[in-house]
Amino acid sequence: MMSDHSQNQVSSLLRKKQACLVSEETDQTPAASPLEKDDRFSTLHLAVLCVCLPGLVLYLLNKYVAEDGSQQLAVATLWDLNSFLILVGFVLFQAALYLLPIGKIVKGKRIATGERDDYCINGFYAFLITVVVLGGLWFFDLVDVTIGHDKCLQLAFSGILVSLFLSIVWFLKSFTIPKEQLMNYRKKRNFVQEFCMGRELNPKFGKLNIKFFSMLRIAFIGWALFILTILAEGVERNGRVSPALGLVVVFQLFYILDALYDEESILFTKEIVNDTFGYIMTFGEMVWIPFTSSLQALYLVHHPQELSYLQVAIIIVIYAVGIFIYCHSNKQKNNFRRDPQDVAFTNLETIDTGTGKKLLVSEWWGWLRHPNYLGDIIVHLAWSLPCGFSHIIPYLQLLLCVRMLIKRATEIEEDCHGRYGAAWEEYCRRVKYQIFPHIY
Ligand code: NDP
Protein backbone atom coordinates (compact mmCIF):
# COMPACT_ATOMS: atom_id res chain seq x y z
CA MET A 1 0.00 0.00 0.00
CA MET A 2 1.28 3.47 -0.86
CA SER A 3 1.48 6.04 1.93
CA ASP A 4 -0.41 9.32 1.60
CA HIS A 5 2.88 11.08 0.99
CA SER A 6 3.80 8.75 -1.88
CA GLN A 7 0.34 9.08 -3.30
CA ASN A 8 0.68 12.86 -3.23
CA GLN A 9 4.02 12.60 -4.97
CA VAL A 10 2.52 10.34 -7.66
CA SER A 11 -0.39 12.74 -8.10
CA SER A 12 1.92 15.68 -8.36
CA LEU A 13 4.10 13.88 -10.93
CA LEU A 14 0.97 12.94 -12.88
CA ARG A 15 -0.16 16.55 -12.94
CA LYS A 16 3.28 17.71 -14.08
CA LYS A 17 3.22 15.06 -16.79
CA GLN A 18 -0.19 16.28 -17.91
CA ALA A 19 1.07 19.85 -17.98
CA CYS A 20 4.03 18.77 -20.14
CA LEU A 21 1.80 16.83 -22.48
CA VAL A 22 -0.38 19.88 -22.79
CA SER A 23 2.43 22.26 -23.55
CA GLU A 24 3.80 19.85 -26.18
CA GLU A 25 0.75 20.76 -28.25
CA THR A 26 0.14 24.45 -27.99
CA ASP A 27 -3.41 24.20 -29.30
CA GLN A 28 -4.35 21.62 -26.74
CA THR A 29 -4.17 23.65 -23.55
CA PRO A 30 -7.02 22.83 -21.17
CA ALA A 31 -8.41 25.47 -18.83
CA ALA A 32 -6.14 26.77 -16.10
CA SER A 33 -5.63 24.08 -13.46
CA PRO A 34 -9.09 22.58 -13.76
CA LEU A 35 -8.22 20.17 -10.99
CA GLU A 36 -7.92 23.12 -8.60
CA LYS A 37 -11.25 24.74 -9.44
CA ASP A 38 -13.97 25.16 -6.85
CA ASP A 39 -17.29 23.39 -7.28
CA ARG A 40 -19.80 25.69 -8.90
CA PHE A 41 -22.86 24.23 -7.24
CA SER A 42 -23.67 23.80 -3.58
CA THR A 43 -25.17 20.55 -2.31
CA LEU A 44 -28.52 22.18 -1.65
CA HIS A 45 -28.60 23.77 -5.10
CA LEU A 46 -27.89 20.39 -6.72
CA ALA A 47 -30.43 18.52 -4.62
CA VAL A 48 -33.11 21.07 -5.55
CA LEU A 49 -32.16 20.85 -9.25
CA CYS A 50 -32.32 17.04 -9.19
CA VAL A 51 -35.83 17.04 -7.81
CA CYS A 52 -37.25 20.13 -9.50
CA LEU A 53 -35.98 19.85 -13.07
CA PRO A 54 -37.67 16.50 -13.91
CA GLY A 55 -40.86 17.78 -12.27
CA LEU A 56 -40.66 21.02 -14.26
CA VAL A 57 -40.30 19.19 -17.59
CA LEU A 58 -43.36 17.04 -16.86
CA TYR A 59 -45.33 20.06 -15.67
CA LEU A 60 -44.52 22.09 -18.80
CA LEU A 61 -45.37 19.26 -21.19
CA ASN A 62 -48.55 18.49 -19.31
CA LYS A 63 -49.58 22.12 -19.38
CA TYR A 64 -50.14 21.84 -23.12
CA VAL A 65 -51.04 18.26 -23.84
CA ALA A 66 -53.50 18.01 -20.95
CA GLU A 67 -55.36 21.21 -21.78
CA ASP A 68 -57.74 19.45 -24.12
CA GLY A 69 -58.30 16.76 -21.50
CA SER A 70 -56.31 14.12 -23.40
CA GLN A 71 -53.84 13.42 -20.59
CA GLN A 72 -53.55 14.00 -16.86
CA LEU A 73 -50.36 14.39 -14.87
CA ALA A 74 -50.53 11.46 -12.47
CA VAL A 75 -47.77 8.98 -11.70
CA ALA A 76 -49.99 6.08 -12.78
CA THR A 77 -50.36 7.55 -16.29
CA LEU A 78 -46.69 8.47 -16.64
CA TRP A 79 -45.41 4.89 -16.82
CA ASP A 80 -45.99 3.29 -20.21
CA LEU A 81 -44.03 0.25 -21.36
CA ASN A 82 -44.30 1.12 -25.06
CA SER A 83 -42.93 4.62 -24.48
CA PHE A 84 -40.11 3.18 -22.40
CA LEU A 85 -39.23 0.69 -25.16
CA ILE A 86 -39.36 3.44 -27.80
CA LEU A 87 -36.95 5.59 -25.80
CA VAL A 88 -34.54 2.73 -25.08
CA GLY A 89 -34.80 1.60 -28.73
CA PHE A 90 -33.94 5.13 -29.88
CA VAL A 91 -30.85 5.28 -27.66
CA LEU A 92 -29.65 1.82 -28.77
CA PHE A 93 -30.30 2.63 -32.43
CA GLN A 94 -28.27 5.84 -32.16
CA ALA A 95 -25.48 3.93 -30.41
CA ALA A 96 -25.42 1.43 -33.28
CA LEU A 97 -25.29 4.27 -35.82
CA TYR A 98 -22.43 5.92 -33.91
CA LEU A 99 -20.41 2.72 -34.23
CA LEU A 100 -21.11 2.29 -37.96
CA PRO A 101 -17.97 2.72 -40.10
CA ILE A 102 -19.31 5.81 -41.85
CA GLY A 103 -18.13 9.38 -41.45
CA LYS A 104 -14.65 9.99 -40.07
CA ILE A 105 -12.70 9.38 -36.90
CA VAL A 106 -11.01 12.44 -35.45
CA LYS A 107 -8.74 13.00 -32.48
CA GLY A 108 -10.30 15.32 -29.90
CA LYS A 109 -8.63 18.11 -28.00
CA ARG A 110 -6.52 16.91 -25.08
CA ILE A 111 -8.97 16.89 -22.18
CA ALA A 112 -8.27 18.08 -18.67
CA THR A 113 -7.15 14.64 -17.41
CA GLY A 114 -4.55 14.51 -20.20
CA GLU A 115 -6.28 11.96 -22.47
CA ARG A 116 -6.84 12.52 -26.18
CA ASP A 117 -9.70 10.38 -27.48
CA ASP A 118 -10.95 9.27 -30.88
CA TYR A 119 -14.44 10.44 -31.85
CA CYS A 120 -16.65 9.15 -34.60
CA ILE A 121 -18.02 12.09 -36.59
CA ASN A 122 -21.15 10.77 -38.29
CA GLY A 123 -23.99 12.57 -36.50
CA PHE A 124 -25.36 14.12 -39.67
CA TYR A 125 -25.57 10.70 -41.36
CA ALA A 126 -27.09 9.24 -38.20
CA PHE A 127 -29.84 11.84 -38.38
CA LEU A 128 -30.53 11.16 -42.09
CA ILE A 129 -30.61 7.39 -41.55
CA THR A 130 -32.94 7.82 -38.57
CA VAL A 131 -35.36 9.98 -40.57
CA VAL A 132 -35.32 7.53 -43.53
CA VAL A 133 -35.94 4.53 -41.24
CA LEU A 134 -38.77 6.27 -39.39
CA GLY A 135 -40.22 7.51 -42.69
CA GLY A 136 -40.19 3.90 -43.95
CA LEU A 137 -41.87 2.60 -40.80
CA TRP A 138 -44.52 5.30 -41.09
CA PHE A 139 -45.04 4.60 -44.82
CA PHE A 140 -45.71 0.92 -44.10
CA ASP A 141 -48.04 1.87 -41.25
CA LEU A 142 -45.77 0.34 -38.63
CA VAL A 143 -45.52 3.47 -36.53
CA ASP A 144 -47.87 6.31 -35.78
CA VAL A 145 -46.04 9.49 -36.72
CA THR A 146 -47.71 11.53 -33.95
CA ILE A 147 -46.78 9.08 -31.20
CA GLY A 148 -44.00 11.34 -29.91
CA HIS A 149 -46.53 14.10 -29.34
CA ASP A 150 -49.26 11.85 -27.96
CA LYS A 151 -46.91 10.09 -25.55
CA CYS A 152 -44.61 13.00 -24.76
CA LEU A 153 -45.28 12.82 -21.01
CA GLN A 154 -44.62 9.09 -20.92
CA LEU A 155 -41.52 9.45 -23.11
CA ALA A 156 -40.15 12.22 -20.90
CA PHE A 157 -40.88 10.14 -17.79
CA SER A 158 -39.06 7.18 -19.38
CA GLY A 159 -36.16 9.53 -20.19
CA ILE A 160 -36.01 10.59 -16.54
CA LEU A 161 -35.90 6.92 -15.40
CA VAL A 162 -33.29 5.96 -18.00
CA SER A 163 -31.08 8.97 -17.22
CA LEU A 164 -31.28 8.13 -13.51
CA PHE A 165 -30.35 4.51 -14.20
CA LEU A 166 -27.46 5.45 -16.50
CA SER A 167 -26.15 8.02 -14.03
CA ILE A 168 -26.01 5.31 -11.37
CA VAL A 169 -24.12 3.09 -13.82
CA TRP A 170 -21.56 5.87 -14.68
CA PHE A 171 -21.23 6.66 -10.97
CA LEU A 172 -20.52 3.05 -9.96
CA LYS A 173 -18.25 2.48 -12.94
CA SER A 174 -16.15 5.48 -11.96
CA PHE A 175 -15.01 3.55 -8.85
CA THR A 176 -13.35 0.95 -11.10
CA ILE A 177 -10.85 3.37 -12.62
CA PRO A 178 -7.73 4.78 -10.93
CA LYS A 179 -8.75 7.83 -8.93
CA GLU A 180 -5.95 9.92 -10.48
CA GLN A 181 -7.87 9.72 -13.75
CA LEU A 182 -10.91 11.34 -12.19
CA MET A 183 -11.55 15.06 -12.21
CA ASN A 184 -11.54 16.77 -8.81
CA TYR A 185 -10.18 13.58 -7.19
CA ARG A 186 -8.19 15.61 -4.68
CA LYS A 187 -11.20 17.56 -3.49
CA LYS A 188 -13.54 16.48 -0.77
CA ARG A 189 -16.96 16.30 -2.37
CA ASN A 190 -20.05 14.75 -0.89
CA PHE A 191 -22.22 12.10 -2.50
CA VAL A 192 -24.76 14.57 -3.93
CA GLN A 193 -22.04 16.64 -5.61
CA GLU A 194 -20.28 13.57 -7.00
CA PHE A 195 -23.46 11.93 -8.26
CA CYS A 196 -24.99 15.06 -9.80
CA MET A 197 -21.88 16.57 -11.33
CA GLY A 198 -20.17 13.23 -12.05
CA ARG A 199 -16.74 11.85 -11.20
CA GLU A 200 -15.44 10.82 -14.59
CA LEU A 201 -14.62 13.35 -17.28
CA ASN A 202 -15.16 11.12 -20.24
CA PRO A 203 -16.93 7.81 -19.52
CA LYS A 204 -16.69 5.28 -22.31
CA PHE A 205 -18.56 2.12 -23.14
CA GLY A 206 -16.30 0.26 -25.55
CA LYS A 207 -15.77 2.69 -28.42
CA LEU A 208 -18.77 4.76 -27.42
CA ASN A 209 -17.75 8.06 -25.92
CA ILE A 210 -20.82 8.56 -23.75
CA LYS A 211 -20.67 12.33 -23.22
CA PHE A 212 -20.02 13.21 -26.84
CA PHE A 213 -22.68 10.69 -27.92
CA SER A 214 -25.27 12.13 -25.54
CA MET A 215 -24.66 15.75 -26.44
CA LEU A 216 -25.65 15.60 -30.10
CA ARG A 217 -27.01 12.14 -30.88
CA ILE A 218 -29.44 11.84 -27.99
CA ALA A 219 -30.14 15.51 -27.26
CA PHE A 220 -30.21 17.03 -30.75
CA ILE A 221 -31.52 14.10 -32.82
CA GLY A 222 -34.09 13.47 -30.08
CA TRP A 223 -35.12 17.14 -30.23
CA ALA A 224 -35.42 17.01 -34.05
CA LEU A 225 -37.61 13.89 -33.94
CA PHE A 226 -39.79 15.42 -31.25
CA ILE A 227 -40.48 18.60 -33.26
CA LEU A 228 -41.19 16.51 -36.36
CA THR A 229 -43.78 14.49 -34.48
CA ILE A 230 -45.30 17.73 -33.12
CA LEU A 231 -45.44 19.05 -36.69
CA ALA A 232 -47.28 15.90 -37.76
CA GLU A 233 -49.78 16.42 -34.93
CA GLY A 234 -50.27 20.02 -36.08
CA VAL A 235 -51.03 18.86 -39.62
CA GLU A 236 -53.41 16.18 -38.34
CA ARG A 237 -55.33 18.68 -36.20
CA ASN A 238 -55.49 21.64 -38.55
CA GLY A 239 -55.12 19.99 -41.95
CA ARG A 240 -52.21 22.28 -42.80
CA VAL A 241 -48.94 23.64 -41.46
CA SER A 242 -49.62 27.07 -40.03
CA PRO A 243 -46.97 29.70 -40.86
CA ALA A 244 -46.16 30.12 -37.15
CA LEU A 245 -45.58 26.39 -36.58
CA GLY A 246 -43.75 26.08 -39.91
CA LEU A 247 -41.33 28.85 -38.92
CA VAL A 248 -40.54 27.33 -35.53
CA VAL A 249 -39.94 23.86 -37.01
CA VAL A 250 -37.77 25.11 -39.89
CA PHE A 251 -35.75 27.43 -37.61
CA GLN A 252 -35.08 24.69 -35.06
CA LEU A 253 -34.30 22.01 -37.66
CA PHE A 254 -31.77 24.30 -39.34
CA TYR A 255 -30.08 24.97 -35.98
CA ILE A 256 -29.96 21.24 -35.20
CA LEU A 257 -28.67 20.27 -38.66
CA ASP A 258 -25.97 22.94 -38.48
CA ALA A 259 -24.79 21.48 -35.15
CA LEU A 260 -24.83 17.92 -36.52
CA TYR A 261 -23.11 18.93 -39.76
CA ASP A 262 -20.30 20.65 -37.87
CA GLU A 263 -20.24 18.05 -35.11
CA GLU A 264 -16.46 18.23 -34.83
CA SER A 265 -16.55 21.71 -33.29
CA ILE A 266 -18.27 20.34 -30.19
CA LEU A 267 -14.96 18.64 -29.35
CA PHE A 268 -13.57 22.07 -28.41
CA THR A 269 -16.35 23.01 -25.98
CA LYS A 270 -15.82 23.16 -22.24
CA GLU A 271 -18.34 20.33 -21.74
CA ILE A 272 -16.06 17.89 -23.57
CA VAL A 273 -12.74 19.27 -22.32
CA ASN A 274 -13.45 20.17 -18.69
CA ASP A 275 -16.86 19.05 -17.42
CA THR A 276 -17.51 15.76 -15.65
CA PHE A 277 -20.47 13.64 -16.70
CA GLY A 278 -23.03 13.05 -13.97
CA TYR A 279 -26.77 12.97 -13.45
CA ILE A 280 -27.34 16.64 -14.30
CA MET A 281 -25.70 16.32 -17.72
CA THR A 282 -27.23 12.90 -18.47
CA PHE A 283 -30.70 14.22 -17.64
CA GLY A 284 -30.01 17.46 -19.53
CA GLU A 285 -29.10 15.67 -22.75
CA MET A 286 -31.77 12.98 -22.59
CA VAL A 287 -34.73 14.93 -21.25
CA TRP A 288 -34.22 18.67 -20.81
CA ILE A 289 -32.92 19.56 -24.29
CA PRO A 290 -35.25 17.43 -26.47
CA PHE A 291 -38.42 18.15 -24.51
CA THR A 292 -38.11 21.75 -23.33
CA SER A 293 -36.59 22.96 -26.60
CA SER A 294 -39.76 21.83 -28.37
CA LEU A 295 -42.14 23.81 -26.17
CA GLN A 296 -42.74 26.52 -28.78
CA ALA A 297 -43.87 23.98 -31.37
CA LEU A 298 -46.01 22.20 -28.78
CA TYR A 299 -47.55 25.51 -27.72
CA LEU A 300 -48.47 26.36 -31.32
CA VAL A 301 -50.20 23.02 -31.89
CA HIS A 302 -52.40 23.66 -28.86
CA HIS A 303 -52.71 27.46 -29.27
CA PRO A 304 -52.57 28.16 -33.03
CA GLN A 305 -51.42 31.72 -33.81
CA GLU A 306 -52.15 33.65 -36.96
CA LEU A 307 -49.30 35.75 -38.29
CA SER A 308 -49.56 38.52 -40.89
CA TYR A 309 -47.15 38.56 -43.86
CA LEU A 310 -45.36 41.47 -42.21
CA GLN A 311 -44.92 39.56 -38.93
CA VAL A 312 -43.63 36.52 -40.82
CA ALA A 313 -41.16 38.72 -42.70
CA ILE A 314 -39.91 40.43 -39.52
CA ILE A 315 -39.44 37.11 -37.70
CA ILE A 316 -37.54 35.64 -40.68
CA VAL A 317 -35.24 38.68 -40.77
CA ILE A 318 -34.57 38.40 -37.01
CA TYR A 319 -33.76 34.69 -37.38
CA ALA A 320 -31.57 35.30 -40.45
CA VAL A 321 -29.55 37.94 -38.57
CA GLY A 322 -29.18 35.67 -35.52
CA ILE A 323 -28.21 32.53 -37.40
CA PHE A 324 -25.79 34.49 -39.60
CA ILE A 325 -23.96 35.91 -36.56
CA TYR A 326 -24.09 32.53 -34.79
CA CYS A 327 -22.77 30.41 -37.68
CA HIS A 328 -20.20 32.87 -39.02
CA SER A 329 -18.64 33.79 -35.68
CA ASN A 330 -18.48 30.14 -34.58
CA LYS A 331 -16.96 29.05 -37.89
CA GLN A 332 -14.47 31.93 -37.93
CA LYS A 333 -13.10 31.03 -34.49
CA ASN A 334 -13.20 27.26 -35.04
CA ASN A 335 -11.40 27.55 -38.39
CA PHE A 336 -8.86 29.94 -36.86
CA ARG A 337 -8.16 27.44 -34.09
CA ARG A 338 -7.84 24.57 -36.61
CA ASP A 339 -5.54 26.47 -38.98
CA PRO A 340 -4.40 29.95 -37.93
CA GLN A 341 -2.15 30.12 -41.04
CA ASP A 342 -5.13 29.93 -43.42
CA VAL A 343 -5.13 32.81 -45.94
CA ALA A 344 -8.56 33.84 -44.66
CA PHE A 345 -6.87 35.12 -41.50
CA THR A 346 -3.82 36.88 -42.94
CA ASN A 347 -5.42 40.33 -42.83
CA LEU A 348 -7.07 39.91 -39.43
CA GLU A 349 -5.63 41.52 -36.31
CA THR A 350 -4.61 39.16 -33.52
CA ILE A 351 -3.11 39.33 -30.04
CA ASP A 352 -0.24 36.94 -29.30
CA THR A 353 -0.89 35.17 -25.99
CA GLY A 354 2.67 33.88 -25.65
CA THR A 355 1.35 30.29 -25.38
CA GLY A 356 1.57 29.58 -29.11
CA LYS A 357 -2.05 30.63 -29.58
CA LYS A 358 -3.41 33.96 -30.76
CA LEU A 359 -6.67 35.75 -30.07
CA LEU A 360 -8.64 37.16 -32.95
CA VAL A 361 -9.33 40.83 -32.38
CA SER A 362 -11.04 41.90 -35.60
CA GLU A 363 -14.30 41.19 -37.41
CA TRP A 364 -16.73 39.19 -35.21
CA TRP A 365 -14.27 38.68 -32.37
CA GLY A 366 -13.23 42.33 -32.43
CA TRP A 367 -16.86 43.46 -32.15
CA LEU A 368 -17.81 41.40 -29.07
CA ARG A 369 -15.99 38.89 -26.90
CA HIS A 370 -18.83 36.36 -27.44
CA PRO A 371 -20.54 37.24 -30.74
CA ASN A 372 -21.68 33.60 -31.09
CA TYR A 373 -23.67 33.91 -27.86
CA LEU A 374 -25.44 37.02 -29.16
CA GLY A 375 -26.34 35.11 -32.35
CA ASP A 376 -27.62 32.22 -30.26
CA ILE A 377 -29.83 34.51 -28.18
CA ILE A 378 -31.32 36.21 -31.27
CA VAL A 379 -32.04 32.78 -32.76
CA HIS A 380 -33.85 31.74 -29.56
CA LEU A 381 -35.85 34.98 -29.67
CA ALA A 382 -36.83 34.35 -33.32
CA TRP A 383 -38.27 30.93 -32.62
CA SER A 384 -40.25 32.18 -29.62
CA LEU A 385 -41.82 35.18 -31.40
CA PRO A 386 -44.25 33.12 -33.58
CA CYS A 387 -45.98 32.11 -30.31
CA GLY A 388 -47.14 35.69 -29.67
CA PHE A 389 -47.06 37.37 -26.30
CA SER A 390 -49.96 35.87 -24.39
CA HIS A 391 -47.90 33.25 -22.53
CA ILE A 392 -44.48 33.23 -20.87
CA ILE A 393 -43.70 29.51 -21.38
CA PRO A 394 -42.61 29.78 -25.05
CA TYR A 395 -40.07 32.38 -23.83
CA LEU A 396 -38.75 30.24 -20.99
CA GLN A 397 -36.03 28.70 -23.13
CA LEU A 398 -34.93 32.17 -24.29
CA LEU A 399 -34.70 33.42 -20.70
CA LEU A 400 -32.72 30.35 -19.62
CA CYS A 401 -30.47 30.68 -22.66
CA VAL A 402 -29.66 34.33 -21.79
CA ARG A 403 -28.97 33.43 -18.18
CA MET A 404 -26.86 30.40 -19.09
CA LEU A 405 -24.80 32.19 -21.73
CA ILE A 406 -24.06 35.17 -19.44
CA LYS A 407 -22.87 32.73 -16.76
CA ARG A 408 -20.92 30.71 -19.31
CA ALA A 409 -19.22 33.83 -20.70
CA THR A 410 -17.98 34.63 -17.18
CA GLU A 411 -16.68 31.08 -16.65
CA ILE A 412 -14.95 30.98 -20.04
CA GLU A 413 -13.37 34.37 -19.44
CA GLU A 414 -12.04 33.25 -16.06
CA ASP A 415 -10.43 30.26 -17.79
CA CYS A 416 -9.01 32.42 -20.59
CA HIS A 417 -7.69 34.97 -18.10
CA GLY A 418 -5.99 32.16 -16.19
CA ARG A 419 -4.35 30.86 -19.34
CA TYR A 420 -3.56 34.03 -21.27
CA GLY A 421 -3.10 36.55 -18.43
CA ALA A 422 -2.05 39.97 -19.76
CA ALA A 423 -2.98 39.04 -23.35
CA TRP A 424 -6.58 38.40 -22.23
CA GLU A 425 -6.62 41.69 -20.31
CA GLU A 426 -5.43 43.43 -23.48
CA TYR A 427 -8.21 41.70 -25.42
CA CYS A 428 -10.84 42.86 -22.88
CA ARG A 429 -9.43 46.39 -23.07
CA ARG A 430 -9.75 46.42 -26.87
CA VAL A 431 -13.09 44.58 -27.06
CA LYS A 432 -15.16 46.10 -24.28
CA TYR A 433 -18.45 44.20 -24.44
CA GLN A 434 -19.11 40.50 -23.84
CA ILE A 435 -22.48 39.77 -25.47
CA PHE A 436 -24.66 42.86 -26.00
CA PRO A 437 -23.00 45.79 -27.81
CA HIS A 438 -22.78 48.92 -25.60
CA ILE A 439 -24.82 47.19 -22.87
CA TYR A 440 -22.99 44.17 -21.48
P1 NDP B 1 -16.95 29.45 -27.60
O1 NDP B 1 -17.21 28.69 -28.85
O2 NDP B 1 -17.15 30.91 -27.64
O3 NDP B 1 -15.47 29.10 -27.16
C1 NDP B 1 -14.76 29.80 -26.17
C2 NDP B 1 -13.30 29.55 -26.46
O4 NDP B 1 -12.95 30.20 -27.68
C3 NDP B 1 -12.37 30.15 -25.43
O5 NDP B 1 -12.22 29.28 -24.34
C4 NDP B 1 -11.09 30.27 -26.22
O6 NDP B 1 -10.57 28.94 -26.30
C5 NDP B 1 -11.59 30.65 -27.62
N1 NDP B 1 -11.62 32.09 -27.85
C6 NDP B 1 -12.25 33.04 -27.13
N2 NDP B 1 -12.06 34.26 -27.66
C7 NDP B 1 -11.29 34.08 -28.75
C8 NDP B 1 -10.74 34.96 -29.72
N3 NDP B 1 -10.93 36.28 -29.68
N4 NDP B 1 -9.99 34.43 -30.71
C9 NDP B 1 -9.76 33.10 -30.78
N5 NDP B 1 -10.25 32.21 -29.87
C10 NDP B 1 -11.00 32.71 -28.87
O7 NDP B 1 -17.80 28.93 -26.41
P2 NDP B 1 -18.70 27.66 -26.12
O8 NDP B 1 -17.95 26.41 -26.27
O9 NDP B 1 -19.30 28.00 -24.82
O10 NDP B 1 -19.90 27.73 -27.19
C11 NDP B 1 -19.93 27.10 -28.46
C12 NDP B 1 -21.30 27.36 -29.07
O11 NDP B 1 -22.29 26.62 -28.38
C13 NDP B 1 -21.72 28.83 -28.99
O12 NDP B 1 -22.23 29.23 -30.22
C14 NDP B 1 -22.79 28.87 -27.96
O13 NDP B 1 -23.76 29.84 -28.28
C15 NDP B 1 -23.38 27.45 -28.02
N6 NDP B 1 -23.93 27.06 -26.72
C16 NDP B 1 -25.27 27.30 -26.51
C17 NDP B 1 -25.86 27.01 -25.31
C18 NDP B 1 -27.31 27.31 -25.12
O14 NDP B 1 -27.85 27.11 -24.03
N7 NDP B 1 -28.00 27.77 -26.13
C19 NDP B 1 -25.09 26.41 -24.19
C20 NDP B 1 -23.72 26.19 -24.52
C21 NDP B 1 -23.16 26.52 -25.73
P3 NDP B 1 -9.04 28.58 -26.66
O15 NDP B 1 -8.25 29.85 -26.57
O16 NDP B 1 -8.65 27.55 -25.67
O17 NDP B 1 -9.09 28.02 -28.03
Side-chain angles (χ1 to χ4, degrees):
M1 285 276 283
M2 269 198 291
S3 69
D4 278 359
H5 178 67
S6 321
Q7 280 188 358
N8 286 342
Q9 276 187 326
V10 170
S11 310
S12 145
L13 279 171
L14 216 120
R15 282 198 303 282
K16 281 183 191 155
K17 189 166 168 248
Q18 284 170 5
C20 291
L21 281 170
V22 159
S23 60
E24 278 163 20
E25 297 169 71
T26 51
D27 67 330
Q28 306 298 328
T29 321
S33 309
L35 296 177
E36 305 291 346
K37 276 173 77 168
D38 283 324
D39 290 318
R40 283 166 291 150
F41 297 99
S42 71
T43 308
L44 182 66
H45 186 176
L46 286 172
V48 171
L49 285 181
C50 275
V51 176
C52 292
L53 289 183
L56 182 63
V57 174
L58 296 174
Y59 168 78
L60 292 172
L61 292 173
N62 182 65
K63 184 143 183 53
Y64 296 138
V65 290
E67 267 173 8
D68 52 8
S70 56
Q71 304 201 37
Q72 294 301 322
L73 188 57
V75 176
T77 59
L78 289 175
W79 169 251
D80 173 53
L81 183 61
N82 277 347
S83 304
F84 182 79
L85 293 177
I86 289 172
L87 190 112
V88 172
F90 166 71
V91 174
L92 293 178
F93 185 57
Q94 292 308 317
L97 293 178
Y98 179 87
L99 298 174
L100 277 186
I102 51 172
K104 56 179 176 176
I105 305 286
V106 302
K107 280 246 173 261
K109 194 171 173 175
R110 193 175 297 288
I111 56 173
T113 52
E115 298 162 79
R116 200 167 171 210
D117 282 326
D118 285 339
Y119 296 86
C120 186
I121 305 293
N122 65 8
F124 190 71
Y125 298 116
F127 173 73
L128 294 182
I129 295 171
T130 306
V131 170
V132 169
V133 169
L134 285 179
L137 291 175
W138 170 66
F139 185 77
F140 291 107
D141 244 355
L142 294 169
V143 13
D144 180 357
V145 75
T146 61
I147 192 161
H149 167 273
D150 303 340
K151 295 279 178 190
C152 65
L153 271 167
Q154 290 76 6
L155 286 166
F157 184 66
S158 301
I160 293 166
L161 295 183
V162 172
S163 54
L164 188 62
F165 171 76
L166 292 177
S167 310
I168 295 171
V169 173
W170 314 143
F171 184 71
L172 295 178
K173 184 183 156 283
S174 72
F175 288 95
T176 64
I177 63 172
K179 69 173 185 173
E180 291 80 6
Q181 288 175 20
L182 300 174
M183 287 286 285
N184 303 313
Y185 69 93
R186 285 175 299 116
K187 295 192 70 171
K188 266 233 164 308
R189 298 199 306 167
N190 60 37
F191 168 77
V192 175
Q193 286 170 320
E194 294 214 314
F195 179 72
C196 293
M197 300 308 291
R199 286 162 51 87
E200 215 179 329
L201 185 65
N202 229 348
K204 275 172 265 185
F205 189 73
K207 286 186 179 167
L208 199 67
N209 194 302
I210 303 293
K211 188 164 58 173
F212 175 70
F213 169 71
S214 306
M215 283 172 72
L216 282 187
R217 310 308 175 87
I218 301 302
F220 272 48
I221 296 182
W223 173 14
L225 296 185
F226 193 40
I227 50 176
L228 286 174
T229 178
I230 295 171
L231 176 72
E233 173 72 16
V235 174
E236 205 162 89
R237 281 176 179 235
N238 306 315
R240 68 179 185 120
V241 180
S242 71
L245 181 60
L247 286 180
V248 171
V249 171
V250 170
F251 289 170
Q252 296 201 344
L253 278 182
F254 187 86
Y255 184 86
I256 294 168
L257 289 178
D258 173 71
L260 289 169
Y261 191 73
D262 190 21
E263 194 178 17
E264 211 173 320
S265 58
I266 201 183
L267 300 177
F268 299 91
T269 58
K270 71 189 255 310
E271 277 81 6
I272 294 286
V273 180
N274 280 341
D275 291 353
T276 43
F277 194 63
Y279 172 70
I280 295 281
M281 214 195 272
T282 311
F283 164 82
E285 307 300 346
M286 188 165 286
V287 182
W288 184 263
I289 292 182
F291 291 99
T292 63
S293 303
S294 315
L295 283 174
Q296 293 86 359
L298 200 57
Y299 177 84
L300 287 170
V301 166
H302 293 266
H303 303 85
Q305 303 285 318
E306 287 308 321
L307 296 177
S308 67
Y309 286 121
L310 182 64
Q311 287 170 324
V312 169
I314 291 172
I315 293 171
I316 290 176
V317 169
I318 294 174
Y319 182 77
V321 170
I323 201 82
F324 183 76
I325 298 175
Y326 174 79
C327 291
H328 271 253
S329 55
N330 268 326
K331 285 190 174 69
Q332 187 173 56
K333 178 181 60 73
N334 293 340
N335 290 342
F336 181 68
R337 280 290 175 251
R338 279 181 200 131
D339 182 11
Q341 310 305 331
D342 190 300
V343 283
F345 304 114
T346 42
N347 292 326
L348 298 193
E349 272 186 78
T350 55
I351 297 175
D352 198 336
T353 64
T355 64
K357 276 184 173 184
K358 291 179 176 174
L359 293 168
L360 280 169
V361 72
S362 43
E363 295 195 351
W364 294 115
W365 299 86
W367 178 45
L368 292 167
R369 301 207 294 274
H370 304 274
N372 47 352
Y373 290 3
L374 175 66
D376 210 346
I377 289 168
I378 298 174
V379 161
H380 277 70
L381 170 68
W383 68 47
S384 301
L385 286 174
C387 301
F389 299 103
S390 49
H391 214 296
I392 184 74
I393 290 181
Y395 291 86
L396 189 71
Q397 202 200 1
L398 170 68
L399 297 175
L400 290 174
C401 171
V402 173
R403 188 189 171 277
M404 176 188 250
L405 291 180
I406 288 178
K407 188 165 173 286
R408 194 174 170 97
T410 308
E411 285 170 14
I412 284 194
E413 296 213 3
E414 279 169 13
D415 283 346
C416 287
H417 188 245
R419 278 180 289 142
Y420 303 139
W424 187 260
E425 286 165 19
E426 163 74 2
Y427 181 52
C428 294
R429 202 180 49 73
R430 288 174 66 174
V431 184
K432 293 213 163 23
Y433 296 98
Q434 285 191 316
I435 302 177
F436 303 105
H438 303 290
I439 299 173
Y440 181 81

